[in-house]
């Protein structure tokens, strides 16, 4: 997996203003391979639609993937007749390769692409890119699988599409609804950081892009689309599905071991208006408290389940220590990622070691509570033990949050010169 991204994190999103003359706001890429019959119809229809409905300047870029028919000639002829049209020739095939190449060299602040068959209704194009222009979102995708989408296609493709997205949800915890719809857009500042991390050059490119963006906490906007299947599609379903499953395994493994520096895609908390409404509260504290409480509830339930399981065959102190140790490791990992936004393998072992110190404090509190209960009641019931442990854990939780925030995961301190940070 590639990790050669730019230093620093993304700045807060801002509304994009109209660009100077000659520089478009939107660059729509059409990746093609041997599409001499459909290319002209697609370009003319898209150009007419953008000219009539799009309020900003635009460009259409035809990305030719090593076509061997008359596709390059058709694209060149159209480019001579339209000032808003450009052509980019690649000598190697691959939709992902085409998008990465054109997007990496484009000067437009919003980058989009669509399939040459124009299966998606073009009326969804402005709703697709509007959240990116306004600064509301980082990426936008068309979805054929929402309730308000209107789709015409055969049962075979419908089944494959839904099964693939179920696989993504189950294996990579993806929350977006449609990874494969050929109708997507991204802000250029996001693409500059995200594209170097995306390894695939074929059809899995879209999925990998979205999974990494979602794991990094970027905002993905979904637009319901009207979509009509192209009966003449040249996509080979079996080979594409095989490559997609290989990609799912590769990305899942990279995420599991923390091989990607996704923290470089994080946006500052100042991007969230909720943080600006709390006077006298350090930035991000409200969000961290919510995340910490959610993780705390889940880890407490895990702790109680483990304690009850271990208690069936072990003494109270041993059952408590084992349950608390396992739940503490899970708690530190979850808070590291979800509450304090730390990603990647850097300092992961150090954070776990510090988390174990915090665990030791919790163990002292809960073990001391059990010892005091045993001394006072002699042979307390299991329900009484659980009640005392819950109270002791609540006290330990407050101290755990303070130690996590101030010692284990201190806030990032940015320098204005180079946007590097220290902890």
């Amino acid at each position: 997996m590639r990790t050669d991204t730019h230093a620093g994190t993304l700045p807060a999103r801002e509304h994009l203003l109209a660009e100077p003359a000659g520089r478009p706001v939107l660059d729509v890429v059409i990746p093609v391979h041997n599409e001499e019959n459909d290319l002209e119809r697609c370009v003319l229809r898209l150009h007419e639609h953008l000219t009539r409905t799009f309020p900003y300047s635009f460009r259409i870029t035809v990305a030719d993937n090593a076509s061997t028919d008359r596709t390059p000639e058709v694209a060149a002829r159209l480019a001579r007749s339209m000032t808003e049209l450009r052509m980019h020739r690649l000598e190697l095939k691959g939709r992902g390769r085409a998008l990465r190449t054109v997007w990496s060299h484009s000067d437009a602040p919003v980058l989009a692409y669509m399939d040459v068959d124009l299966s998606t209704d073009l009326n969804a194009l402005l709703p697709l890119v509007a959240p990116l222009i306004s600064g509301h979102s980082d990426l936008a995708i068309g979805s054929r699988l929402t309730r308000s989408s209107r789709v015409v296609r055969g049962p075979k493709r419908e089944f494959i599409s839904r099964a693939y997205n179920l696989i993504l949800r189950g294996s990579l915890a993806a929350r977006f609804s449609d990874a494969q719809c050929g109708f997507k857009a991204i802000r250029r500042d996001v693409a500059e950081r995200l594209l170097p991390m995306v390894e695939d050059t074929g059809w899995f490119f879209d999925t990998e892009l979205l999974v990494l963006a979602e794991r990094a906490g970027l905002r993905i906007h979904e637009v319901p689309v009207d979509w009509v299947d192209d009966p003449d599609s040249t996509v080979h379903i079996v080979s594409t599905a095989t490559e997609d499953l290989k990609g799912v395994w590769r990305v899942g493994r990279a995420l599991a071991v923390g091989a990607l520096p996704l923290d470089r895609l994080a946006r500052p908390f100042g991007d969230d208006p909720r943080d600006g409404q709390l006077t006298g509260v350090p930035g991000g504290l409200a969000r961290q408290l919510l995340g910490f409480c959610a993780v705390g509830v889940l880890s407490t339930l895990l702790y109680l389940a483990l304690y009850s399981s271990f208690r069936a065959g072990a003494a109270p102190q041993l059952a408590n220590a084992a349950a608390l140790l396992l739940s503490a490791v899970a708690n530190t990992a979850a808070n590291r990622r979800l509450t304090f936004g730390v990603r990647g393998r850097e300092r992961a072992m150090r954070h776990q070691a510090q988390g174990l110190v915090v665990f030791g404090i919790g163990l002292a509190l809960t073990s001391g509570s059990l010892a005091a209960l045993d001394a006072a009641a002699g042979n307390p019931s299991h329900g009484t033990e659980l009640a005392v442990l819950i109270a002791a854990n609540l006290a330990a939780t407050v101290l755990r949050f303070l130690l996590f925030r101030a010692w284990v995961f201190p806030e990032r301190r940015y320098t204005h010169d180079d946007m590097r940070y220290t902890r």
Side-chain angles (χ1 to χ4, degrees), residues 131-383:
L132 309 187
I133 295 175
S134 69
H136 175 271
S137 300
D138 299 297
L139 297 89
I141 65 173
S143 177
R144 301 161 296 183
L145 302 180
T146 64
R147 291 185 177 180
S148 56
S149 301
R150 294 184 294 182
V151 177
V152 178
R153 62 175 168 180
K156 180 179 179 181
R157 287 184 177 271
E158 180 76 10
F159 172 78
I160 292 174
S161 181
R162 292 188 178 276
Y164 179 64
N165 282 280
L166 285 175
I167 291 174
L168 294 181
R169 288 176 178 270
S171 60
L172 299 178
R175 296 189 299 272
F176 46 84
S177 64
D178 192 351
Q180 295 176 310
C181 182
F183 196 70
K184 295 181 175 69
I186 186 173
R187 287 174 64 106
R188 187 183 65 192
D189 58 346
V190 176
E192 289 175 350
R193 308 289 180 85
L194 185 54
L195 289 179
M197 300 185 191
V198 180
E199 184 173 324
D200 191 80
T201 59
W203 294 99
F204 186 70
F205 174 88
D206 298 49
T207 301
E208 188 171 355
L209 186 82
L210 291 174
V211 169
L212 298 186
E214 187 175 73
R215 287 298 187 94
L218 298 180
R219 180 174 290 168
I220 301 175
H221 178 73
E222 294 197 20
V223 178
V225 298
D226 298 339
W227 195 84
V228 179
D229 191 13
D230 178 15
D232 299 322
S233 175
T234 59
V235 178
H236 300 288
I237 296 178
V238 175
S239 60
T240 300
T242 301
E243 292 302 315
D244 285 346
L245 292 177
K246 290 180 180 178
V248 169
W249 168 256
R250 174 176 53 80
V251 172
R253 183 177 57 184
L255 292 172
V257 301
L260 293 166
L262 297 180
D263 57 308
R264 298 179 184 179
L265 295 172
R267 291 194 182 273
F269 282 148
D271 194 30
D272 191 332
R274 291 174 296 180
D275 297 321
Q277 296 173 358
L278 302 175
T279 59
V281 177
L285 178 58
R287 179 180 295 181
Q288 290 178 357
L289 280 171
L290 289 175
F292 184 81
C293 289
V295 172
V297 169
L298 294 177
S299 60
T300 299
L301 293 175
L302 174 63
Y303 163 77
L304 293 175
L306 291 172
Y307 178 80
S308 297
S309 177
F310 295 154
R311 186 65 180 87
Q317 294 287 6
L318 181 59
N320 173 63
L324 195 57
L325 175 61
L326 293 177
S327 60
V329 172
N331 182 279
T332 300
N335 275 305
R336 183 178 190 269
R337 170 64 178 85
L338 302 176
T339 304
F340 299 97
V342 181
R343 302 171 178 87
R345 290 182 295 181
E346 185 179 1
R347 299 189 178 184
M349 295 303 297
R350 175 180 174 179
H351 291 155
Q352 280 293 347
Q354 291 173 309
L356 289 177
V357 174
V358 178
F359 153 75
I361 297 174
L363 178 61
L365 286 174
T366 53
S367 297
S369 299
L370 281 177
L373 176 64
D374 185 65
N379 189 22
S381 66
H382 181 64

